[in-house]
Amino acid sequence: MGARRRLLALGQGILMAAAAAYSCYRSLTAFALFMVPACVYPVLYEKKWRQEQLGKLERQFKEAIQIMSGALSAGYSVENAVAVSVRELEQLYGPGEMIVREFARMAGELKMNRPVEEVFQSFADRSGLEEAERFSQIFQIAKRSGGRLVSIICRTVSIMEDRGQVKEEIRTMTASVQFEQKVMSVIPFLMIVYVDMTSPGFFQVMYETAMGKIVMSCCLAVYLLSCYLSRKILNIKVA
């Protein structure tokens, strides 16, 4: 992530720390304590951001392999198919996208007579894509066995398309539920603000007594646990 995105993530962490401290404790001391996890939040946000980028790269890689498969079926060699894919991907995504830069790098390595299987394996290692790793392994096996490379690649692309469709369907079905989960995670704080505005002092006993602070701490723990569980439930993976 860039510095701007890190600052935005830090700002989100501070905002969440302020909301938790105000809603549960009304204490500057609590806010100071919550600043510790708030400063760690950019690390968690980066992990989530990397997963999103990886998903984006996976979809782009499948499109690139489809283009490459079409070029191979038209009679191009693997090296020329990669070069053709670069031009097609530039028109499709623009020259600055991740997959365009990666395939351009691969095309450059192939021009320097680097083995094709090593080029694909290098891309799989750099990206961490499971699909790229599988494709690289299948490509190496087909290359060593001297099998029908074009038909094997086309079959592999077909299987990747099927898995991609399943993932897209799951993503579509869970999109509305994920949005609802985000809305529900904000509602408790809005309810507290609403009660404070309509009935000032209603929650005062929760912030001034020891029992009230214990109850609010338990509520905060239950809230955080529910957010964690909801994210785990909605994180559906396709094997």
Side-chain angles (χ1 to χ4, degrees):
M1 294 194 304
R4 180 174 175 272
R5 195 177 292 273
R6 290 181 188 277
L7 288 175
L8 288 175
L10 180 61
Q12 290 180 15
I14 294 173
L15 184 62
M16 289 188 288
Y22 174 81
S23 301
C24 299
Y25 301 102
R26 301 286 168 85
S27 169
L28 290 175
T29 303
F31 176 67
L33 291 174
F34 288 155
M35 280 297 294
V36 176
C39 293
V40 178
Y41 179 74
V43 178
L44 302 177
Y45 180 86
E46 183 174 6
K47 183 179 179 181
K48 177 184 176 183
W49 178 81
R50 284 180 180 274
Q51 289 296 326
E52 293 175 352
Q53 294 298 305
L54 199 61
K56 180 181 178 182
L57 182 61
E58 182 179 353
R59 293 189 292 272
Q60 292 177 349
F61 175 70
K62 289 175 183 176
E63 187 69 33
I65 294 301
Q66 289 175 8
I67 295 172
M68 181 178 161
S69 174
L72 290 171
S73 300
Y76 286 88
S77 64
V78 177
E79 292 80 1
N80 290 333
V82 173
V84 169
S85 300
V86 174
R87 295 194 294 269
E88 293 287 340
L89 290 169
E90 284 182 351
Q91 295 178 1
L92 190 61
Y93 296 113
E97 279 295 325
M98 295 180 288
I99 194 65
V100 178
R101 296 198 303 268
E102 287 294 338
F103 263 66
R105 175 175 176 174
M106 292 164 65
E109 291 175 348
L110 290 173
K111 286 182 179 178
M112 293 169 22
N113 296 323
R114 187 178 180 185
V116 181
E117 53 270 26
E118 289 185 11
V119 171
F120 279 107
Q121 185 60 53
S122 177
F123 168 72
D125 294 338
R126 285 197 310 273
S127 64
L129 281 178
E130 183 181 353
E131 295 287 358
E133 181 65 32
R134 289 180 179 178
F135 181 81
S136 175
Q137 292 175 357
I138 292 172
F139 189 89
Q140 291 179 30
I141 293 171
K143 195 81 171 176
R144 285 198 299 265
S145 62
R148 294 176 298 175
L149 187 61
V150 175
S151 62
I152 292 174
I153 291 177
C154 291
R155 176 58 180 165
T156 304
V157 170
S158 177
I159 295 172
M160 291 171 61
E161 287 179 354
D162 293 339
R163 295 181 73 250
Q165 288 178 359
V166 173
K167 288 184 178 181
E168 197 62 37
E169 288 177 2
I170 293 174
R171 194 178 295 111
T172 302
M173 288 187 294
T174 59
S176 60
V177 181
Q178 289 177 349
F179 178 75
E180 291 173 4
Q181 186 268 334
K182 291 178 181 179
V183 173
M184 292 298 294
S185 66
V186 178
I187 284 179
F189 300 103
L190 297 180
M191 290 177 63
I192 292 174
V193 173
Y194 174 76
V195 172
D196 276 344
M197 293 176 62
T198 56
S199 302
F202 184 83
F203 285 126
Q204 204 62 33
V205 66
M206 306 300 292
Y207 307 124
E208 294 179 350
T209 63
M211 182 57 67
K213 293 177 181 178
I214 292 174
V215 171
M216 294 303 285
S217 297
C218 292
C219 291
L220 180 60
V222 171
Y223 170 79
L224 293 175
L225 179 61
S226 65
C227 290
Y228 173 78
L229 290 177
S230 63
R231 290 181 181 276
K232 281 292 184 182
I233 292 170
L234 292 173
N235 186 22
I236 302 173
K237 295 183 178 179
V238 178

